[in-house]
Structure formats: structure tokens, C-alpha cells
Amino acid sequence: MIIVTGGAGFIGSNLVKGLNQMGEEKILIVDHLSNASKHLNLNRLRYSDYLDKELVYGNGTKGFSEIPESEYPLNVYGFSKFSFDNYVRRFLPEAQSQILGLRYFNVYGPQETHKGRMASVAFHLFHQLRKGGSMNLFEGSEGFRRDFIHVQDTIRINLHFLESGKSGIFNAGTGKARSFTAIGECLREIEGSGELKSIPFPDDLRGKYQEFTEADTTRLREAGYEEEFLSLEEGIRLYHKMLSENGGFHL
């Protein structure tokens, strides 16, 4: 039996889908459906049972490697991940069972509808474009660059480590930073139309906004992960198709 915590969520439900594609159905999903829309993520998954259950590097000035020198979380969410990783590091050298920590960068793709305001930039720009024919980006977005990774690639990383049994803390990113503007341009090209509008940068985010992330994938590659990542253009095209045809859900 495989237990997937957060299995009704964005990455969790995609992980269950990936396990299903490997032929694994003896899965216990643990999550909490206070956000009732999350049940839609479970509709096309195969699992044995569901159990209800009642939340990173900082500004990147010292890089994005999986080492303490690069780590300086800017918010409580990042700090919670940072604290857990530090706890795990104490046990990794002597651990008899596999212990794996994956640091997800900017993940986008199917099954994130329930996240609402916290869904990916790609999700929001798609819906803005479909609703009003334009997409809103903060002023300066051409200079805001993040490591955007399609959820399909994060699942491949998860399954690689499930099969290899290796332990450690690894980045789950592509190693290539792209701008927010590039996402809008991808969507505009797919749709054949659409205006990119610049909106004022919120005052309450000044000094708190992470303008650049780019995963150091050295340790991930050293751990034997050899798959090529989807380019931003490939990933946005796949996501656009699913949003258009299935509302962003697996069918």
C-alpha cells in the first residue's frame, strides 16, 4: 500500500495519476476536503481508500542549491519547509528507510483549479484571455524570471526516486528561468490573439516579491535523473489544451 498525503491536491493528485499509469492502484489518499472543489481531482483516479485529515530559498542571492548556505526563507511557508529539511538532515546519514525531500519550484499544470488565487500564473492568464481577450501582468514582468516546471515533470521526478530508492533533498525544477511575460506570449501565440496589459505593482508586495528563481539541478542529475524537461512552450501548449477541453482536469 502506498500512502499519498495531500492526494486530492494539485501535485498529489497528479502523483496518484502517475502511479496509476504504472499500474499501481493500492493507494491510500490522505487529504482534507474542506475545499469541496478538490473532490473533482479524484474523479478519474484509481485508489483503494481515502482518509480525511483535519501547510524556499529566500531571495536567491546565494544561489538555488540544496545546501544551507543558499537557504534563507522569506515567509512562514518557506520556513516550515526549511525547518523540516533541517530535521531530516540529522537522520539522512544513518537512515535505513528512504527519506526524500523535493523542493518544487513554480509548478503549473492540470488539477490546480481548487487553488483559486494561489493557482499558477498560466492558469490565471488563460482565464483572463478567454474572458476578456487580454492578460494582466505586473509592470516589470518581463524582468521577473522564475523556474516554471510542468507538473508532469515533477511526477516523473517523484517516480524516479520511488524506483531508485535513493534518499536526499533535491530540487525539482528545470534549471531554466523564464519570464512571466513569456507565458503570456505563449498563450497569445496558441490563441492567435490577445493583449498583454501592464498593471501597477502592488505596494504591499514591494520588498517581499521573489523576482528570480532557477533550480540548480546538479544533485538531481547526479542522482540518476536523466529525463529532459518540457520547455515552457511545450508545457503551456499541453496545459492550454487540457484547460480548453477538460477544464484543467484529468479525464
Side-chain angles (χ1 to χ4, degrees):
M1 178 72 75
I2 296 176
I3 300 173
V4 179
T5 58
F10 173 31
I11 295 177
S13 65
N14 278 282
L15 178 56
V16 174
K17 179 71 172 180
L19 290 168
N20 288 167
Q21 291 171 338
M22 292 176 59
E24 182 61 65
E25 298 184 15
K26 294 181 179 179
I27 301 169
L28 170 63
I29 292 178
V30 180
D31 209 313
H32 187 51
L33 297 181
S34 56
N35 179 347
S37 65
K38 288 172 68 175
H39 86 275
L40 297 172
N41 288 347
L42 300 174
N43 284 348
R44 290 296 182 264
L45 304 181
R46 301 189 301 276
Y47 53 96
S48 299
D49 203 356
Y50 170 87
L51 179 65
D52 193 78
K53 175 70 178 72
E54 310 211 40
L55 175 230
V56 231
Y57 276 108
N59 59 16
T61 55
K62 296 188 177 180
F64 297 92
S65 300
E66 307 92 325
I67 55 175
E69 291 77 12
S70 295
E71 299 162 353
Y72 194 83
L74 296 177
N75 54 45
V76 173
Y77 177 80
F79 181 74
S80 72
K81 303 298 185 184
F82 170 72
S83 299
F84 182 75
D85 285 352
N86 282 339
Y87 177 79
V88 166
R89 282 183 174 125
R90 293 163 47 196
F91 298 98
L92 274 174
E94 294 82 28
Q96 299 300 309
S97 300
Q98 182 185 23
I99 300 176
L100 176 68
L102 294 178
R103 294 183 171 181
Y104 298 116
F105 279 65
N106 283 71
V107 187
Y108 66 95
Q111 307 273 99
E112 63 169 328
T113 302
H114 67 279
K115 295 180 68 176
R117 182 172 175 267
M118 300 305 293
S120 70
V121 173
F123 175 90
H124 288 296
L125 293 185
F126 170 87
H127 287 287
Q128 289 175 17
L129 182 56
R130 282 294 175 91
K131 184 178 181 179
S134 62
M135 296 167 280
N136 296 325
L137 291 167
F138 291 148
E139 56 188 0
S141 286
E142 66 280 356
F144 299 156
R145 297 168 58 233
R146 300 280 183 89
D147 192 329
F148 298 105
I149 181 169
H150 192 283
V151 69
Q152 174 180 303
D153 282 322
T154 69
I155 301 312
R156 287 174 175 165
I157 294 172
N158 273 272
L159 297 181
H160 164 77
F161 283 104
L162 177 64
E163 294 177 346
S164 73
K166 291 184 179 179
S167 295
I169 297 170
F170 302 93
N171 286 334
T174 68
K176 295 180 180 178
R178 299 290 300 277
S179 71
F180 287 89
T181 302
I183 295 178
E185 291 172 343
C186 287
L187 289 169
R188 180 169 59 187
E189 181 178 346
I190 296 168
E191 287 278 312
S193 63
E195 180 184 1
L196 289 173
K197 293 184 176 180
S198 180
I199 61 175
F201 191 89
D203 288 336
D204 62 336
L205 289 182
R206 296 188 187 281
K208 304 175 184 178
Y209 195 70
Q210 198 166 28
E211 297 183 6
F212 177 80
T213 64
E214 187 173 78
D216 182 338
T217 60
T218 303
R219 296 192 69 246
L220 180 66
R221 296 305 191 188
E222 289 174 348
Y225 188 75
E226 299 178 346
E227 297 284 341
E228 291 297 319
F229 296 104
L230 291 170
S231 69
L232 183 65
E233 288 75 13
E234 293 169 328
I236 294 298
R237 188 168 293 278
L238 284 175
Y239 194 24
H240 178 277
K241 179 178 174 62
M242 185 165 279
L243 285 166
S244 300
E245 297 179 356
N246 312 327
F249 296 99
H250 291 302
L251 293 181

